[in-house]
C-alpha cells in the first residue's frame, strides 16, 4: 500500500469544526444525476449536512470555508473560485504514467489534428484539462469525424494520442495511494486488468506526488495488454458504481487537500 502524508478528510464526528456543508446540484434522471444522487446518500450516511440547489441557484449559495460543491466539474470549479481555492489542472496522463500508456501522447492544435486526420492518420483528440467542457474527446479518422468539432477554432490547443482499441475499460478509485475499488465501464468485464500493472502504476504515481484522491482508468487490449487510459481528479469524478460512502469520502478527501492550500 502507498499511503500519503497529506491532510486527510475527517468525518463530522471527529472534527472540532462541524460547520462544513455539502452543496449538491439536485439529482435528476440523467447519467450525471446518478453521481449527484450517490454523493447525496454517501455524505448523508457520513453525517454531513447536505443542501440541494437548482441549476439557477448557484450564485445565491452561501459558501463557507470547508464547504464542498458537487455538480460536475463546472459547478465544482465555480465553487472553488468563490471559496478562493485554486482549481487544479491535472494532466490526463501525468508524466509518471506515460510508460504505462502504451501510445504517443502530445499537445498540438486542433488545426494540426485536423490536417493529420485529413491526410489519413487516425488520431484521438481531447481538450486541455482546463477546457474539458469545450468538447468530448473523440477519434478523428475520416471527414465525417471532423463535423462534431467543426466549431472548435484551429488555434485551440488539444491533447492528441495514437488511437488504441480496448476490449474493456475499468475505472479504479485511488484514495491516499490505495486502490479502494475497480469498476468495469465499457466492453467485456471478463478481460480483467493485470494487477501487477495496476500496482506499478500506483507506485509510480505515489512517487510523483499524486493527488490524495483520483480515478485511474485502465484498458485491456485484444492482445491482453493493460494500459492506462487516463486519470481524473477526485474533486468531481464520476461514481461508476462506487459505493456512496466511498464516493463521498473520495470527493471530501480531495476537497480537504485543496482547501488546505489556502
Amino acid at each position: 500500500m502507498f499511503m500519503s502524508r497529506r491532510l486527510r478528510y475527517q468525518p463530522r464526528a471527529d472534527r472540532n469544526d462541524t460547520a462544513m456543508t455539502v452543496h449538491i446540484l439536485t439529482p435528476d434522471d440523467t447519467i450525471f444525476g446518478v453521481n449527484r444522487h450517490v454523493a447525496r446518500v454517501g455524505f448523508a450516511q457520513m453525517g454531513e449536512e447536505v443542501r440541494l440547489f437548482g441549476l439557477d441557484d448557484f450564485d445565491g449559495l452561501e459558501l463557507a470555508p470547508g464547504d464542498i460543491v458537487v455538480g460536475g466539474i463546472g459547478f465544482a470549479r465555480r465553487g472553488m473560485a468563490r471559496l478562493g481555492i485554486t482549481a487544479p489542472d491535472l494532466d490526463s496522463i501525468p508524466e509518471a504514467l506515460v510508460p504505462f500508456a502504451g501510445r504517443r501522447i502530445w499537445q498540438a492544435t486542433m488545426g494540426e489534428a485536423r490536417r493529420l486526420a485529413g491526410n489519413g492518420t487516425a488520431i484521438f483528440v481531447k481538450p486541455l484539462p482546463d477546457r474539458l467542457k469545450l468538447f468530448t474527446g473523440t477519434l478523428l479518422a475520416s471527414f465525417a469525424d471532423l463535423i462534431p468539432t467543426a466549431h472548435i477554432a484551429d488555434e485551440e490547443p488539444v491533447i492528441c494520442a495514437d488511437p488504441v482499441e480496448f476490449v474493456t475499460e475499468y475505472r479504479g478509485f485511488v484514495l491516499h495511494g490505495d486502490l479502494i475499488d475497480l469498476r468495469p465501464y465499457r466492453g467485456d468485464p471478463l478481460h480483467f486488468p493485470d494487477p501487477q500493472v495496476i500496482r506499478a502504476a500506483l507506485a509510480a504515481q505515489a512517487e510523483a506526488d499524486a493527488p490524495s484522491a483520483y480515478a485511474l482508468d485502465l484498458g485491456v487490449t485484444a492482445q491482453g495488454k493493460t494500459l492506462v487510459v487516463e486519470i481524473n481528479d477526485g474533486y468531481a469524478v464520476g461514481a461508476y458504481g462506487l459505493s456512496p460512502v466511498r464516493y463521498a469520502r473520495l470527493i471530501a478527501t480531495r476537497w480537504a487537500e485543496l482547501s488546505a492550500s489556502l
Side-chain angles (χ1 to χ4, degrees), residues 21-199:
T21 300
V22 184
H23 305 269
I24 301 178
L25 179 65
T26 301
D28 52 30
D29 294 331
T30 67
I31 186 172
F32 300 108
V34 173
N35 295 328
R36 304 195 295 270
H37 175 70
V38 175
R40 178 184 184 182
V41 173
F43 279 110
Q45 289 180 341
M46 292 196 307
E48 301 295 352
E49 180 179 358
V50 175
R51 296 180 184 175
L52 301 181
F53 67 93
L55 286 170
D56 299 324
D57 300 334
F58 177 81
D59 290 338
L61 294 183
E62 296 182 4
L63 299 180
D67 283 4
I68 294 173
V69 176
V70 178
I73 294 175
F75 277 110
R77 293 175 76 95
R78 287 173 65 184
M80 289 179 189
R82 285 193 40 194
L83 291 167
I85 300 171
T86 300
D89 292 324
L90 194 65
D91 290 336
S92 59
I93 302 286
E95 184 176 351
L97 294 181
V98 169
F100 301 90
R103 59 199 186 278
R104 289 187 306 143
I105 300 170
W106 70 98
Q107 183 172 322
T109 65
M110 197 67 192
E112 291 168 339
R114 288 182 176 123
R115 284 191 288 275
L116 283 172
N119 291 331
T121 300
I123 183 174
F124 181 83
V125 297
K126 64 182 295 183
L128 296 186
D130 62 341
R131 303 273 283 172
L132 292 178
K133 295 181 67 175
L134 195 61
F135 67 94
T136 301
T138 186
L139 178 67
L140 303 181
S142 67
F143 178 78
D145 297 330
L146 299 174
I147 297 175
T149 57
H151 63 290
I152 307 298
D154 279 343
E155 297 77 21
E156 179 69 29
V158 294
I159 302 297
C160 301
D162 292 329
V164 175
E165 184 176 354
F166 294 113
V167 296
T168 188
E169 293 181 44
Y170 275 75
R171 167 156 292 187
F173 296 92
V174 185
L175 185 63
H176 297 300
D178 294 329
L179 184 71
I180 62 171
D181 207 339
L182 191 62
R183 297 280 169 167
Y185 64 87
R186 184 178 294 121
D188 184 353
L190 295 181
H191 289 269
F192 194 78
D194 186 338
Q196 292 186 348
V197 174
I198 298 175
R199 293 189 183 100

Side-chain angles (χ1 to χ4, degrees), residues 236-256:
V237 72
Y240 283 52
L242 187 63
S243 70
V245 169
R246 285 185 172 183
Y247 183 53
R249 190 176 295 277
L250 194 86
I251 294 172
T253 296
R254 182 59 169 144
W255 275 80

